[in-house]
DNA sequence: CGATCGTTTGAGTTTGATCAAATGTGGTGG
DNA sequence: CCACCACATTTGATCAAACTCAAACGATCG
């Protein structure tokens, strides 16, 4: 049984997962790759629970997840926490802070996570010199938006079981795309409370529904890792279709179609 | 009582609302404005209910809403419709189709709507010559994503009354930003079924909740137009804070702050 | 070896869904 | 101008998914 590489590895080449992701769509030029690697040298290590960016906090450069797992969230007036999405290695998690005047949500990490931090100056430099990177990052904000829209569908229309199934499928596909999942296995250092706040459910109900998924031999959650026992069955159960993740290589800008 | 301009006006200068929107953040150059106006000459008129772009349909240029109202949606396997967001005049509603390989959702219009259609060639031309437009449009996809995230919060965490209140606040602020609302008045050609599909509620429950909003003297829906009787009260009721819409002028890229 | 955090289980409650039918309303054609 | 149709809104009654509260159990860690 092949286990996916641990997300706790040293951040050798923090940019590699990002490059991999961008190149799924359109190949980068050699100098673009090099510039990214160069810019992502400064890494930072965050402990589980630490906040990486704060709502209405100052905006700065960019943060690239190298290993671990982060989540976007907002805290409501009454103290409830709403989780808005997850960021996996290779994701730039705070693009809004580059082009908008302020963050409109916060970001924290689920486990020990290493990130590369790019200063605003180096990012501006990068984007001015390499329009290909602008296209690539812009594309990735479009995919982020598509994921958020799918969350709207998920939370708005589906039952608890469907929601959980769908979320696990999303994370599995995204992690697999950067080589961090395979054979139905992924490390998922996520609590049932996190799941509840992500899906608009109570943690009690998440617990019961997870048991049901387990009973239907679709998915087993064991500690910090998840095993998908029947991917096709799980996708069916969550009416999951990977299209919106835009993970396959094909670039509409140059007519190439696969 | 000043009524907002009707959205049914002829599409003189379809680009004007877009320019207005982009310039809320960073001023455009004269030639950028001119190029946008030039590119947005070809307009199309759609009847209520018509589909403007189809999920997994071909991707092409860009569509700019000139007047009217459009909504993004997905149809689930069981036939239910999930509405993912609204596009108001000045919005480019199909940016995903420019940079991604396919649309992952469909777009239709609520009322008779006029749109300007920009061919892929002219858009590419525009973006190559005017990096300021790239920044502006990229920013607008970031705002779209922020709106989707707020929908996740809204649907995931709030009660029916809060959801409705919040949605009306969003639309009011967005319409006011392009001069189509004011004094608590806006044209809102939206059915209760649309609202239900937007908020993850049944239309029956939407109806009852609207009555409650009316009773609390917060909002009155009359036919195709809405009157906000108490904006502050409505924002409170929906715990709405306009920050995420990023409607105020301030550009982090040049240190200028309001 | 407590202490803390996460998971699990039980019991009662609530919000909002579903089903069904009546009541407007706007548009069309005879 | 009226009859009719389609569509939207409104109301009532019943039901179920998911919530809340409460408490016990289990793991992990300094």
């Amino acid at each position: 049984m092949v286990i996916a590489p641990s997300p706790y590895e040293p951040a050798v080449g923090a940019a590699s997962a990002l490059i991999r992701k961008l190149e799924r769509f359109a190949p980068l030029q050699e100098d673009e790759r090099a510039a990214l690697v160069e810019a992502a040298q400064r890494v930072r290590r965050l402990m589980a629970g630490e906040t990486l960016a704060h709502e209405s906090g100052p905006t700065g450069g960019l943060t690239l997840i190298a290993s671990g797992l982060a989540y976007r969230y907002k805290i409501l007036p009454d103290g409830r926490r709403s989780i808005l999405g997850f960021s996996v290695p290779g994701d730039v998690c705070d693009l809004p802070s580059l082009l908008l005047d302020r963050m409109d949500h916060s970001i924290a990490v689920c486990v020990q996570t290493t990130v590369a931090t790019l200063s605003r100056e180096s990012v501006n430099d990068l984007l001015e010199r390499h329009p290909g990177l602008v296209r690539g990052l812009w594309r990735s904000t479009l995919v982020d938006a598509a994921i958020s829209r799918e969350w709207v569908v998920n939370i708005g229309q589906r039952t608890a079981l469907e929601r959980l199934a769908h979320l696990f499928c999303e994370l599995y596909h995204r992690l697999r795309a950067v080589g961090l999942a395979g054979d139905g296995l992924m490390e998922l250092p996520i609590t049932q409370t996190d799941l509840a706040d992500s899906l608009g459910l109570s943690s009690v109900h998440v617990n019961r529904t997870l048991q049901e998924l387990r009973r239907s031999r679709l998915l087993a959650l064991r500690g910090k890792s998840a095993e998908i026992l029947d991917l096709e069955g799980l996708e069916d159960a969550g009416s999951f279709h990977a299209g919106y993740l835009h993970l396959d290589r094909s670039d509409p800008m140059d007519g190439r179609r696969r």
Side-chain angles (χ1 to χ4, degrees), chain A residues 52-187:
Chain A
L52 192 154
H54 205 280
E55 179 166 7
S56 77
T59 66
L62 288 185
T63 306
L64 168 61
I65 310 287
S67 72
L69 186 66
Y71 63 93
R72 309 168 181 289
Y73 70 98
K74 286 190 189 187
I75 300 293
L76 304 194
D78 64 1
R80 266 174 312 170
R81 175 185 65 160
S82 178
I83 291 184
L84 313 168
F86 292 95
S87 295
V88 305
D91 287 353
V92 175
C93 62
D94 53 1
L95 268 167
S97 97
L98 181 72
L99 291 173
L100 265 17
D101 52 333
R102 64 189 103 80
M103 284 296 284
D104 50 50
H105 61 279
S106 309
I107 304 175
V109 299
C110 297
V111 271
Q112 198 178 90
T113 293
T114 61
V115 301
T117 56
L118 289 74
S119 71
R120 163 152 295 180
E121 297 71 43
S122 68
V123 173
N124 279 335
D125 200 55
L126 218 52
L127 296 182
E128 249 163 55
R129 292 198 198 169
H130 305 289
L133 292 182
V134 174
R135 286 290 162 106
L137 288 174
W138 187 0
R139 234 185 314 256
S140 91
T141 76
L142 283 165
V143 174
D144 280 356
I147 293 174
S148 287
R149 283 192 294 265
E150 192 62 34
W151 278 47
V152 170
V153 178
N154 205 30
I155 297 176
Q157 309 288 339
R158 297 202 250 259
T159 66
L161 191 116
E162 293 171 320
R163 290 185 214 182
L164 275 161
H166 196 281
L167 178 58
F168 284 112
C169 290
E170 176 201 315
L171 291 172
Y172 181 67
H173 279 268
R174 289 174 63 191
L175 287 170
R176 197 173 54 179
V178 287
L180 291 170
D183 281 337
L185 291 170
M186 55 181 163
E187 296 206 17

Side-chain angles (χ1 to χ4, degrees), chain A residues 186-204:
Chain A
M186 55 181 163
E187 296 206 17
L188 211 52
I190 233 178
T191 68
Q192 295 183 0
T193 307
D194 294 335
L195 290 171
D197 291 349
S198 301
L199 297 173
L201 298 169
S202 70
S203 63
V204 170

